[in-house]
């Protein structure tokens, strides 16, 4: 038999509060990771705490359509919408990866009304990379 839990005070019905506390964030960082198969857009505050994120996969695109510029555009729009609701006005943009969604995501960020302080490409470049595996003998 289940025991009933009595609630005390003014918290009788409804949620006790929002699970995600809404901080006012005037300035943030938008990270765009554009691979060939997907595009992930993450909006953080200046300290690096994630405010919102979205990807082409979570926007409903499946398979090869996730790598398209339109999927990247809608992922960027989804991620930025919640950040703008929390009061973000200025942002820095960090773009990583070789994918098709780089320019489309940047175009969607510019259209959202956020002032961009700078746009930086943070794609990793191998300076002659890892040592290749040794040749197979037959």
């Amino acid at each position: 038999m289940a025991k009933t839990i009595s609630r005390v005070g003014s918290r009788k019905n409804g949620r006790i509060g929002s699970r995600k506390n809404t901080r006012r964030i005037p300035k943030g960082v938008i990270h765009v990771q554009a691979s060939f198969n997907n595009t992930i857009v993450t909006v953080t505050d200046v300290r690096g705490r994630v405010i919102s994120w979205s990807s082409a996969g979570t926007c409903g695109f499946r398979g090869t359509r996730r790598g398209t510029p339109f999927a990247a555009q809608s992922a960027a729009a989804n991620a930025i919408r919640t950040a703008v609701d929390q009061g973000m006005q200025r942002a820095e943009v960090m773009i990583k990866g070789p994918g098709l969604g780089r320019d489309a995501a940047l175009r969607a960020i510019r259209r959202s009304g956020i002032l961009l302080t700078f746009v930086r490409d943070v794609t990793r470049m191998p300076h002659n990379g890892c040592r290749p595996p040794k040749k197979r003998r037959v």
Side-chain angles (χ1 to χ4, degrees):
M1 196 160 123
K3 195 176 184 182
T4 57
I5 301 167
S6 62
R7 293 190 178 175
V8 184
S10 63
R11 292 192 260 169
K12 277 192 173 138
N13 51 7
R15 285 175 61 131
I16 295 168
S18 178
R19 188 169 54 87
K20 291 183 179 175
N21 57 339
T22 54
R23 296 188 302 269
R24 301 300 291 173
I25 299 134
K27 190 166 188 273
V29 184
I30 301 169
H31 300 271
V32 179
Q33 291 176 273
S35 68
F36 291 118
N37 297 323
N38 203 354
T39 304
I40 303 167
V41 181
T42 311
V43 182
T44 67
D45 60 3
V46 184
R47 289 180 57 189
R49 295 176 295 190
V50 175
I51 298 159
S52 69
W53 68 275
S54 181
S55 71
T58 58
C59 289
F61 295 94
R62 286 284 171 257
T64 53
R65 291 205 304 260
R66 284 188 310 189
T68 60
F70 178 68
Q73 179 182 317
S74 56
N78 277 8
I80 290 167
R81 196 175 299 123
T82 51
V84 171
D85 291 345
Q86 291 189 22
M88 185 178 284
Q89 293 142 359
R90 294 186 313 282
E92 305 167 357
V93 180
M94 309 286 195
I95 300 180
K96 184 191 288 185
L100 295 169
R102 296 164 55 102
D103 300 333
L106 186 58
R107 224 172 289 126
I109 292 166
R110 280 198 197 281
R111 232 183 284 127
S112 69
I114 293 178
L115 284 170
L116 302 183
T117 51
F118 67 83
V119 179
R120 181 181 288 173
D121 185 17
V122 290
T123 307
R124 295 206 177 110
M125 284 289 170
H127 296 280
N128 216 12
C130 301
R131 182 176 171 158
K134 66 178 189 179
K135 298 287 181 270
R136 288 181 57 180
R137 287 192 299 275
V138 179

Tab-separated table of all heavy atoms in Angstrom, residues 85-127:
chain	number	residue	atom	x	y	z
A	85	ASP	N	15.964	34.072	-25.636
A	85	ASP	CA	14.924	34.192	-24.616
A	85	ASP	C	15.509	34.501	-23.242
A	85	ASP	O	14.860	35.135	-22.413
A	85	ASP	CB	14.100	32.896	-24.532
A	85	ASP	CG	13.249	32.702	-25.779
A	85	ASP	OD1	13.081	33.680	-26.538
A	85	ASP	OD2	12.772	31.572	-25.994
A	86	GLN	N	16.736	34.038	-22.993
A	86	GLN	CA	17.386	34.305	-21.708
A	86	GLN	C	18.151	35.626	-21.717
A	86	GLN	O	18.866	35.935	-20.782
A	86	GLN	CB	18.321	33.156	-21.343
A	86	GLN	CG	17.569	31.894	-21.012
A	86	GLN	CD	18.470	30.826	-20.442
A	86	GLN	OE1	19.532	31.111	-19.919
A	86	GLN	NE2	18.033	29.587	-20.542
A	87	GLY	N	18.042	36.398	-22.788
A	87	GLY	CA	18.589	37.745	-22.800
A	87	GLY	C	19.959	37.889	-23.426
A	87	GLY	O	20.654	38.866	-23.139
A	88	MET	N	20.369	36.949	-24.267
A	88	MET	CA	21.688	37.070	-24.883
A	88	MET	C	21.648	38.107	-26.006
A	88	MET	O	20.768	38.079	-26.851
A	88	MET	CB	22.160	35.727	-25.441
A	88	MET	CG	23.565	35.783	-25.965
A	88	MET	SD	24.147	34.205	-26.575
A	88	MET	CE	24.466	33.368	-25.061
A	89	GLN	N	22.620	39.042	-25.963
A	89	GLN	CA	22.681	40.080	-26.990
A	89	GLN	C	23.952	39.990	-27.822
A	89	GLN	O	23.920	40.234	-29.021
A	89	GLN	CB	22.621	41.473	-26.339
A	89	GLN	CG	21.296	41.762	-25.685
A	89	GLN	CD	21.450	42.526	-24.391
A	89	GLN	OE1	22.548	42.834	-23.966
A	89	GLN	NE2	20.325	42.816	-23.767
A	90	ARG	N	25.081	39.652	-27.184
A	90	ARG	CA	26.355	39.578	-27.903
A	90	ARG	C	26.911	38.172	-27.757
A	90	ARG	O	26.694	37.515	-26.742
A	90	ARG	CB	27.373	40.570	-27.305
A	90	ARG	CG	26.975	42.011	-27.506
A	90	ARG	CD	28.060	42.953	-27.042
A	90	ARG	NE	28.629	42.658	-25.749
A	90	ARG	CZ	28.077	42.939	-24.582
A	90	ARG	NH1	26.883	43.502	-24.551
A	90	ARG	NH2	28.680	42.647	-23.461
A	91	ALA	N	27.654	37.733	-28.775
A	91	ALA	CA	28.221	36.391	-28.721
A	91	ALA	C	29.492	36.308	-29.547
A	91	ALA	O	29.669	37.040	-30.519
A	91	ALA	CB	27.217	35.359	-29.220
A	92	GLU	N	30.359	35.413	-29.120
A	92	GLU	CA	31.527	35.029	-29.905
A	92	GLU	C	31.179	33.701	-30.574
A	92	GLU	O	30.458	32.901	-29.995
A	92	GLU	CB	32.738	34.837	-28.992
A	92	GLU	CG	33.051	36.033	-28.136
A	92	GLU	CD	34.029	35.716	-27.028
A	92	GLU	OE1	34.419	34.540	-26.901
A	92	GLU	OE2	34.397	36.653	-26.309
A	93	VAL	N	31.692	33.474	-31.772
A	93	VAL	CA	31.380	32.246	-32.500
A	93	VAL	C	32.664	31.468	-32.750
A	93	VAL	O	33.644	32.027	-33.254
A	93	VAL	CB	30.669	32.537	-33.837
A	93	VAL	CG1	30.357	31.246	-34.568
A	93	VAL	CG2	29.396	33.309	-33.604
A	94	MET	N	32.670	30.206	-32.348
A	94	MET	CA	33.790	29.304	-32.602
A	94	MET	C	33.296	28.216	-33.548
A	94	MET	O	32.378	27.470	-33.203
A	94	MET	CB	34.276	28.646	-31.314
A	94	MET	CG	34.543	29.606	-30.188
A	94	MET	SD	36.036	30.506	-30.460
A	94	MET	CE	36.299	31.179	-28.846
A	95	ILE	N	33.898	28.119	-34.731
A	95	ILE	CA	33.474	27.134	-35.725
A	95	ILE	C	34.559	26.084	-35.859
A	95	ILE	O	35.734	26.410	-36.024
A	95	ILE	CB	33.197	27.798	-37.085
A	95	ILE	CG1	32.098	28.837	-36.925
A	95	ILE	CG2	32.805	26.763	-38.113
A	95	ILE	CD1	31.737	29.547	-38.192
A	96	LYS	N	34.150	24.820	-35.748
A	96	LYS	CA	35.102	23.710	-35.829
A	96	LYS	C	34.600	22.688	-36.829
A	96	LYS	O	33.407	22.403	-36.890
A	96	LYS	CB	35.225	23.053	-34.444
A	96	LYS	CG	36.262	21.949	-34.378
A	96	LYS	CD	36.144	21.177	-33.081
A	96	LYS	CE	36.636	21.986	-31.910
A	96	LYS	NZ	36.632	21.201	-30.670
A	97	GLY	N	35.506	22.147	-37.622
A	97	GLY	CA	35.158	21.035	-38.494
A	97	GLY	C	35.076	21.410	-39.963
A	97	GLY	O	34.957	22.571	-40.326
A	98	PRO	N	35.095	20.372	-40.820
A	98	PRO	CA	35.151	20.585	-42.265
A	98	PRO	C	33.804	20.516	-42.968
A	98	PRO	O	33.751	20.556	-44.183
A	98	PRO	CB	36.030	19.420	-42.722
A	98	PRO	CG	35.649	18.319	-41.791
A	98	PRO	CD	35.325	18.967	-40.472
A	99	GLY	N	32.701	20.418	-42.231
A	99	GLY	CA	31.416	20.059	-42.837
A	99	GLY	C	30.773	21.142	-43.683
A	99	GLY	O	31.207	22.293	-43.720
A	100	LEU	N	29.684	20.759	-44.340
A	100	LEU	CA	28.947	21.667	-45.212
A	100	LEU	C	28.143	22.693	-44.425
A	100	LEU	O	27.773	23.725	-44.974
A	100	LEU	CB	27.976	20.860	-46.096
A	100	LEU	CG	28.583	19.894	-47.096
A	100	LEU	CD1	27.500	19.015	-47.671
A	100	LEU	CD2	29.286	20.670	-48.192
A	101	GLY	N	27.883	22.424	-43.162
A	101	GLY	CA	27.002	23.285	-42.378
A	101	GLY	C	27.656	24.504	-41.768
A	101	GLY	O	26.991	25.286	-41.091
A	102	ARG	N	28.965	24.698	-41.998
A	102	ARG	CA	29.672	25.829	-41.378
A	102	ARG	C	29.063	27.176	-41.765
A	102	ARG	O	28.666	27.964	-40.903
A	102	ARG	CB	31.141	25.836	-41.813
A	102	ARG	CG	31.943	24.674	-41.369
A	102	ARG	CD	33.226	24.591	-42.151
A	102	ARG	NE	33.992	25.808	-42.097
A	102	ARG	CZ	35.059	26.002	-41.327
A	102	ARG	NH1	35.488	25.029	-40.575
A	102	ARG	NH2	35.691	27.143	-41.319
A	103	ASP	N	28.974	27.436	-43.068
A	103	ASP	CA	28.495	28.735	-43.543
A	103	ASP	C	27.015	28.923	-43.254
A	103	ASP	O	26.578	30.018	-42.899
A	103	ASP	CB	28.749	28.875	-45.045
A	103	ASP	CG	30.229	28.777	-45.381
A	103	ASP	OD1	31.044	29.114	-44.502
A	103	ASP	OD2	30.566	28.363	-46.506
A	104	ALA	N	26.248	27.844	-43.399
A	104	ALA	CA	24.808	27.943	-43.171
A	104	ALA	C	24.510	28.238	-41.710
A	104	ALA	O	23.622	29.043	-41.401
A	104	ALA	CB	24.129	26.649	-43.591
A	105	ALA	N	25.256	27.612	-40.789
A	105	ALA	CA	25.051	27.874	-39.363
A	105	ALA	C	25.419	29.319	-39.032
A	105	ALA	O	24.714	29.992	-38.274
A	105	ALA	CB	25.877	26.911	-38.530
A	106	LEU	N	26.511	29.808	-39.607
A	106	LEU	CA	26.930	31.188	-39.363
A	106	LEU	C	25.897	32.176	-39.914
A	106	LEU	O	25.594	33.192	-39.281
A	106	LEU	CB	28.293	31.435	-40.005
A	106	LEU	CG	28.942	32.786	-39.728
A	106	LEU	CD1	29.128	33.000	-38.238
A	106	LEU	CD2	30.265	32.885	-40.441
A	107	ARG	N	25.324	31.846	-41.071
A	107	ARG	CA	24.285	32.709	-41.651
A	107	ARG	C	23.061	32.765	-40.747
A	107	ARG	O	22.465	33.827	-40.539
A	107	ARG	CB	23.896	32.171	-43.030
A	107	ARG	CG	23.773	33.249	-44.073
A	107	ARG	CD	23.569	32.682	-45.457
A	107	ARG	NE	24.758	32.040	-45.984
A	107	ARG	CZ	24.802	30.794	-46.441
A	107	ARG	NH1	23.733	30.036	-46.427
A	107	ARG	NH2	25.919	30.304	-46.909
A	108	ALA	N	22.687	31.611	-40.166
A	108	ALA	CA	21.526	31.566	-39.266
A	108	ALA	C	21.802	32.342	-37.980
A	108	ALA	O	20.903	32.990	-37.429
A	108	ALA	CB	21.180	30.117	-38.944
A	109	ILE	N	23.059	32.301	-37.495
A	109	ILE	CA	23.418	33.041	-36.282
A	109	ILE	C	23.332	34.543	-36.542
A	109	ILE	O	22.824	35.301	-35.722
A	109	ILE	CB	24.832	32.642	-35.806
A	109	ILE	CG1	24.835	31.195	-35.318
A	109	ILE	CG2	25.319	33.558	-34.701
A	109	ILE	CD1	26.216	30.596	-35.142
A	110	ARG	N	23.820	34.979	-37.707
A	110	ARG	CA	23.755	36.405	-38.056
A	110	ARG	C	22.311	36.883	-38.161
A	110	ARG	O	21.985	37.999	-37.772
A	110	ARG	CB	24.445	36.657	-39.389
A	110	ARG	CG	25.941	36.733	-39.293
A	110	ARG	CD	26.499	37.411	-40.523
A	110	ARG	NE	27.916	37.169	-40.697
A	110	ARG	CZ	28.876	37.805	-40.015
A	110	ARG	NH1	28.556	38.683	-39.103
A	110	ARG	NH2	30.143	37.534	-40.243
A	111	ARG	N	21.427	36.024	-38.694
A	111	ARG	CA	20.023	36.391	-38.884
A	111	ARG	C	19.248	36.446	-37.570
A	111	ARG	O	18.178	37.040	-37.519
A	111	ARG	CB	19.360	35.391	-39.830
A	111	ARG	CG	18.652	36.073	-40.977
A	111	ARG	CD	17.941	35.105	-41.868
A	111	ARG	NE	18.839	34.383	-42.741
A	111	ARG	CZ	18.888	33.054	-42.853
A	111	ARG	NH1	18.086	32.309	-42.144
A	111	ARG	NH2	19.738	32.488	-43.664
A	112	SER	N	19.781	35.829	-36.506
A	112	SER	CA	19.024	35.736	-35.258
A	112	SER	C	18.955	37.045	-34.492
A	112	SER	O	18.181	37.183	-33.563
A	112	SER	CB	19.644	34.665	-34.362
A	112	SER	OG	20.911	35.112	-33.919
A	113	GLY	N	19.781	38.024	-34.854
A	113	GLY	CA	19.738	39.312	-34.168
A	113	GLY	C	20.777	39.461	-33.077
A	113	GLY	O	20.807	40.490	-32.397
A	114	ILE	N	21.639	38.463	-32.887
A	114	ILE	CA	22.711	38.557	-31.896
A	114	ILE	C	23.900	39.261	-32.548
A	114	ILE	O	24.276	38.937	-33.680
A	114	ILE	CB	23.119	37.157	-31.392
A	114	ILE	CG1	21.977	36.532	-30.591
A	114	ILE	CG2	24.373	37.208	-30.552
A	114	ILE	CD1	22.262	35.144	-30.103
A	115	LEU	N	24.492	40.233	-31.828
A	115	LEU	CA	25.698	40.903	-32.331
A	115	LEU	C	26.885	39.973	-32.149
A	115	LEU	O	27.104	39.449	-31.051
A	115	LEU	CB	25.949	42.197	-31.545
A	115	LEU	CG	25.060	43.382	-31.894
A	115	LEU	CD1	25.251	44.478	-30.875
A	115	LEU	CD2	25.400	43.892	-33.275
A	116	LEU	N	27.663	39.766	-33.203
A	116	LEU	CA	28.823	38.884	-33.124
A	116	LEU	C	30.067	39.719	-32.857
A	116	LEU	O	30.395	40.624	-33.639
A	116	LEU	CB	28.994	38.101	-34.425
A	116	LEU	CG	27.798	37.245	-34.851
A	116	LEU	CD1	28.143	36.477	-36.096
A	116	LEU	CD2	27.385	36.309	-33.749
A	117	THR	N	30.750	39.422	-31.723
A	117	THR	CA	31.970	40.166	-31.426
A	117	THR	C	33.118	39.659	-32.291
A	117	THR	O	33.880	40.456	-32.814
A	117	THR	CB	32.331	40.051	-29.935
A	117	THR	OG1	32.330	38.674	-29.564
A	117	THR	CG2	31.345	40.806	-29.088
A	118	PHE	N	33.252	38.343	-32.430
A	118	PHE	CA	34.189	37.809	-33.420
A	118	PHE	C	33.797	36.398	-33.808
A	118	PHE	O	33.066	35.722	-33.092
A	118	PHE	CB	35.652	37.869	-32.952
A	118	PHE	CG	35.976	36.979	-31.786
A	118	PHE	CD1	36.266	35.640	-31.974
A	118	PHE	CD2	36.039	37.498	-30.506
A	118	PHE	CE1	36.580	34.826	-30.911
A	118	PHE	CE2	36.359	36.685	-29.433
A	118	PHE	CZ	36.625	35.357	-29.630
A	119	VAL	N	34.306	35.979	-34.960
A	119	VAL	CA	34.093	34.620	-35.467
A	119	VAL	C	35.466	33.995	-35.626
A	119	VAL	O	36.331	34.549	-36.299
A	119	VAL	CB	33.358	34.630	-36.820
A	119	VAL	CG1	33.161	33.217	-37.329
A	119	VAL	CG2	32.023	35.333	-36.694
A	120	ARG	N	35.676	32.849	-34.977
A	120	ARG	CA	36.987	32.204	-35.011
A	120	ARG	C	36.852	30.769	-35.494
A	120	ARG	O	35.932	30.058	-35.104
A	120	ARG	CB	37.606	32.231	-33.619
A	120	ARG	CG	38.987	31.607	-33.561
A	120	ARG	CD	39.542	31.634	-32.169
A	120	ARG	NE	39.905	32.988	-31.791
A	120	ARG	CZ	40.305	33.329	-30.564
A	120	ARG	NH1	40.338	32.430	-29.616
A	120	ARG	NH2	40.634	34.563	-30.297
A	121	ASP	N	37.795	30.357	-36.341
A	121	ASP	CA	37.841	28.966	-36.802
A	121	ASP	C	38.800	28.213	-35.893
A	121	ASP	O	39.979	28.549	-35.824
A	121	ASP	CB	38.317	28.922	-38.256
A	121	ASP	CG	38.271	27.518	-38.826
A	121	ASP	OD1	37.583	26.663	-38.232
A	121	ASP	OD2	38.916	27.273	-39.847
A	122	VAL	N	38.282	27.227	-35.171
A	122	VAL	CA	39.103	26.475	-34.226
A	122	VAL	C	39.291	25.029	-34.665
A	122	VAL	O	39.482	24.140	-33.838
A	122	VAL	CB	38.513	26.537	-32.793
A	122	VAL	CG1	38.654	27.914	-32.212
A	122	VAL	CG2	37.060	26.107	-32.776
A	123	THR	N	39.257	24.793	-35.991
A	123	THR	CA	39.450	23.445	-36.520
A	123	THR	C	40.875	22.979	-36.241
A	123	THR	O	41.824	23.721	-36.466
A	123	THR	CB	39.202	23.423	-38.037
A	123	THR	OG1	37.923	24.000	-38.283
A	123	THR	CG2	39.226	22.016	-38.584
A	124	ARG	N	41.003	21.751	-35.760
A	124	ARG	CA	42.336	21.220	-35.465
A	124	ARG	C	43.043	20.842	-36.758
A	124	ARG	O	42.445	20.244	-37.649
A	124	ARG	CB	42.214	19.991	-34.572
A	124	ARG	CG	41.656	20.332	-33.216
A	124	ARG	CD	42.111	19.332	-32.202
A	124	ARG	NE	41.634	19.715	-30.890
A	124	ARG	CZ	40.698	19.055	-30.227
A	124	ARG	NH1	40.153	17.998	-30.756
A	124	ARG	NH2	40.337	19.460	-29.033
A	125	MET	N	44.310	21.191	-36.831
A	125	MET	CA	45.117	20.868	-38.007
A	125	MET	C	46.288	19.992	-37.585
A	125	MET	O	47.039	20.376	-36.682
A	125	MET	CB	45.689	22.145	-38.635
A	125	MET	CG	44.666	22.920	-39.403
A	125	MET	SD	44.244	22.054	-40.901
A	125	MET	CE	42.856	23.017	-41.421
A	126	PRO	N	46.464	18.833	-38.204
A	126	PRO	CA	47.619	18.009	-37.861
A	126	PRO	C	48.881	18.578	-38.502
A	126	PRO	O	48.893	18.878	-39.687
A	126	PRO	CB	47.276	16.644	-38.447
A	126	PRO	CG	46.362	16.946	-39.570
A	126	PRO	CD	45.607	18.178	-39.196
A	127	HIS	N	49.924	18.763	-37.711
A	127	HIS	CA	51.210	19.202	-38.251
A	127	HIS	C	52.020	17.944	-38.548
A	127	HIS	O	52.943	17.587	-37.838
A	127	HIS	CB	51.926	20.125	-37.258
A	127	HIS	CG	51.172	21.385	-37.028
A	127	HIS	ND1	51.217	22.441	-37.889
A	127	HIS	CD2	50.314	21.744	-36.057
A	127	HIS	CE1	50.445	23.414	-37.443
A	127	HIS	NE2	49.884	23.018	-36.333
